[in-house]
Amino acid sequence: MTNKLLFFNPDYFASLFEKISKKLDKYNGIKHYEMYSSSNKQTTISYEEGFIKKAFKKNSSGMGLRLIGLNGKEGMTFTSDYSDSAIERIIKDGRIMMRVSTENPEFKNLAIPSKNYNSVEDIYDPEIDNLNLEEIKDIINPIFDLKKKEIALHSLSGNFSSSIQSVYIFNSNGINQNEKKSSVNINSEISLLGNSGFPSSGFSWQSESHLKDLSVENVAEKSYQMAYRGLDKISVETGKYPVLLSPLAVAFFLVDPISKAINSEAVQHKMSFLGDHLNEDIGVKSFTLIDDPHIPGKLSTSSFDCEGVATKPIKIIDKGVLKDFYYNSFTAGIEGIETNGHASRSHYSSTLGISNHNLIMSEGKEKWEEILSGIKKGIYFDYTGDSPNYVSGDFSGLILTGSLIEDGKITKSLSEALIGINLLDAFKKIETISKERIWIDEAYVPWVKLSEATISGRK
């Protein structure tokens, strides 16, 4: 097996891909080929009740090989072994799979090199690369310090993980790209036991590209405060209420569904509630959403996508108008247009997909607390674990964390409250957007007030 240090060396993969290309060029039946390799160095620590339960380091690397024959027939194989015998095996298996696969007349071509690639900054943090377990224990101590709070914890768990990933992409059209990135994640899950005898749960997390941007103290305090507020819950009467969405709710309830619904594969298969609304008004004029892959130091910053195509900023929603969908080379080929750099892969062994980069929502003119102060009676919506119907846009789900707003103040937490609204209606009911915005993973989002939504309380 190759020395693991070589897995992060671009020269090693350039040499490997050149060797594989020479082998593939000998076979007349192969019309196109693509090699995608990823290498990952990961450290993970999980903890319970203030003690480290498990800790491990893992280095992994592998390559996926796609072979395309006549009429779009495709064979895909992969390996985590770069030895000569393993390479010969995946080439042989890929050719067999290509020959017996179904014809795909919709396939036009693999990705072609872009004319310009924007260099991106601060996506690799050597401090994360050099972390040791003793340093990580010091980093997560603020989570353990929650045990010192006035109300004792009923349970405490979570994990810390860091990752260094390198990606190498090469294809027969001349794509040849590589990039090295870092990421770090911390999460905290706790529960408190109140006078009622029933536990109340709280959670929080943060993911960043740089260790310096991680605030473990903030994650710990947010998880505790969520659980603390939940010790005193009330039911609300069913009805229509103004709803103030926290940035977390905006990210997962408004923005994330948009990023999934503008997936061109879903649109082409009539599986998206936004598929028939391109260049139409879908929201209020104050609603703008941009996908920007070039913001320094952010999780989804990259100079190219998972096919090696240059990334570029695009406007998804411009003053309420839906302007674009996400494409990879295959879905773009179906429509006879160029891909806009949104190809994705979850793993070197996975098939090609589509996903977003950094998502930036427009800011408003009022501070979020000023928006809150103007709500006499309403709902503060923070998080739901439920997802909308991406075909219809309908959403009906449990507000896992949310509170009643009374006379401009957030008061008691909600018990078993449901929110119901169609997302197209929600975009039109955006009444106010806050001046402040914060990062939730790869989304930069404000507080948003909806004029109304149906809230169903427990009977």
Side-chain angles (χ1 to χ4, degrees), residues 151-154 191-200 231:
I151 299 179
L153 303 186
H154 180 63
S191 67
L192 302 176
L193 200 60
N195 295 329
S196 65
F198 293 100
S200 173
L231 290 173

Side-chain angles (χ1 to χ4, degrees), residues 15-156:
S15 176
L16 177 67
F17 291 166
E18 182 180 358
K19 181 171 65 175
I20 296 173
S21 296
K22 289 179 179 178
K23 294 178 182 293
L24 295 174
D25 288 338
K26 295 178 182 179
Y27 299 106
N28 294 328
I30 300 175
K31 190 176 180 181
H32 307 280
Y33 55 80
E34 176 190 65
M35 289 165 268
Y36 176 92
S37 182
S38 62
S39 302
N40 191 53
K41 183 166 70 171
Q42 185 172 7
T43 301
T44 301
I45 285 182
S46 59
Y47 46 85
E48 286 185 5
E49 312 306 331
F51 299 97
I52 292 177
K53 181 181 179 182
K54 182 170 61 176
F56 67 89
K57 287 177 174 280
K58 180 182 179 182
N59 287 2
S60 62
S61 184
M63 180 184 70
L65 175 65
R66 290 175 67 199
L67 304 180
I68 313 294
L70 298 175
N71 302 315
K73 286 190 169 188
E74 179 175 339
M76 180 175 176
T77 53
F78 55 90
T79 182
S80 58
D81 181 354
Y82 297 119
S83 66
D84 290 343
S85 59
I87 297 301
E88 292 290 350
R89 185 176 65 251
I90 65 168
I91 291 175
K92 179 181 177 180
D93 291 346
R95 291 176 62 219
I96 293 172
M97 293 177 65
M98 182 183 68
R99 286 197 299 267
V100 302
S101 68
T102 304
E103 293 183 359
N104 185 356
E106 292 185 321
F107 177 85
K108 299 300 187 296
N109 199 352
L110 290 178
I112 60 174
S114 303
K115 293 180 179 178
N116 297 299
Y117 288 86
N118 288 283
S119 60
V120 294
E121 300 176 353
D122 295 332
I123 60 174
Y124 167 71
D125 181 4
E127 190 174 358
I128 293 176
D129 204 347
N130 298 317
L131 272 178
N132 60 51
L133 295 179
E134 289 76 17
E135 290 172 321
I136 294 174
K137 188 178 184 304
D138 291 337
I139 291 171
I140 63 178
N141 270 336
I143 304 288
F144 297 163
D145 287 344
L146 290 175
K147 297 178 71 175
K148 302 174 184 178
K149 290 283 191 177
E150 183 177 349
I151 299 179
L153 303 186
H154 180 63
S155 66
L156 166 65

Side-chain angles (χ1 to χ4, degrees), residues 281-306:
D281 283 309
I282 65 165
V284 296
K285 296 285 186 185
S286 59
F287 185 22
T288 292
L289 185 65
I290 296 171
D291 186 294
D292 189 345
H294 300 153
I295 301 175
K298 292 306 173 183
L299 285 173
S300 291
T301 294
S302 182
S303 61
F304 58 87
D305 71 0
C306 287

Side-chain angles (χ1 to χ4, degrees), residues 110 148 203 211 215 289 389 430:
L110 290 178
K148 302 174 184 178
F203 62 89
L211 189 61
S215 175
L289 185 65
N389 182 319
I430 293 175

